Amino acid sequence: GEVVWRVLWPDGAPPGGGPNDASVVVWLGTPSVSVLALGDLETETQDALARDLAARGVRSPARFVVMAHHGSARQSAALAALLDPEVLLVGVGEDNDYGHPAPSALALYPRATVLRTDECGPVALTPTHHTPC
């Protein structure tokens, strides 16, 4: 089917402090599924993205959000509150040395069903329903 996609970051402005902030943030949408992938953005750049989305009047732009930076502790509370997704996807390796995803990062999304690749393996998105692993 038809998929609409938009690059939300970088927005033409120079990225923030490091290479992670040069990550591409992409929104993908169909009539029944919308996904926002946050790349590896650091907290300050996530805050900037939240301000930009809020200024444009965008709230809850996606049912599914791929958490930034594999669920590191460096997450924006403002962006999490703005997004408030139905499902939070965390791409993270099993037994990683970084302790991802951080409990504090997951706590920012209290209403979301969390699907972690270290616990679920590959995750498939469908428009009709979802089942936690």
Side-chain angles (χ1 to χ4, degrees):
E2 186 175 319
V3 176
V4 175
W5 61 278
R6 292 186 190 102
V7 174
L8 301 179
W9 185 268
D11 62 357
N20 286 340
D21 289 327
S23 291
V24 176
V25 174
V26 179
W27 177 88
L28 304 162
T30 71
S32 55
V33 174
S34 54
V35 180
L36 180 63
L38 295 172
D40 281 346
L41 297 185
E42 297 290 348
T43 309
E44 295 79 13
T45 305
Q46 291 176 48
D47 285 337
L49 178 61
R51 286 189 301 272
D52 180 58
L53 292 173
R56 290 191 277 155
V58 176
R59 291 216 37 93
S60 301
R63 284 179 57 201
F64 301 91
V65 169
V66 181
M67 183 177 251
H69 207 146
H70 314 285
S72 80
R74 298 188 46 80
Q75 303 291 321
S76 164
L79 184 59
L82 179 77
L83 298 178
D84 191 27
E86 181 180 331
V87 177
L88 182 68
L89 305 167
V90 185
V92 60
E94 190 173 358
D95 298 323
N96 67 82
D97 293 338
Y98 299 102
H100 296 163
S104 61
L106 297 175
L108 294 174
Y109 295 88
R111 295 180 349 108
T113 297
V114 177
L115 300 176
R116 301 167 41 161
T117 57
D118 62 331
E119 294 177 347
C120 301
V123 175
L125 303 177
T126 64
T128 56
H129 69 280
H130 66 274
T131 305
C133 59

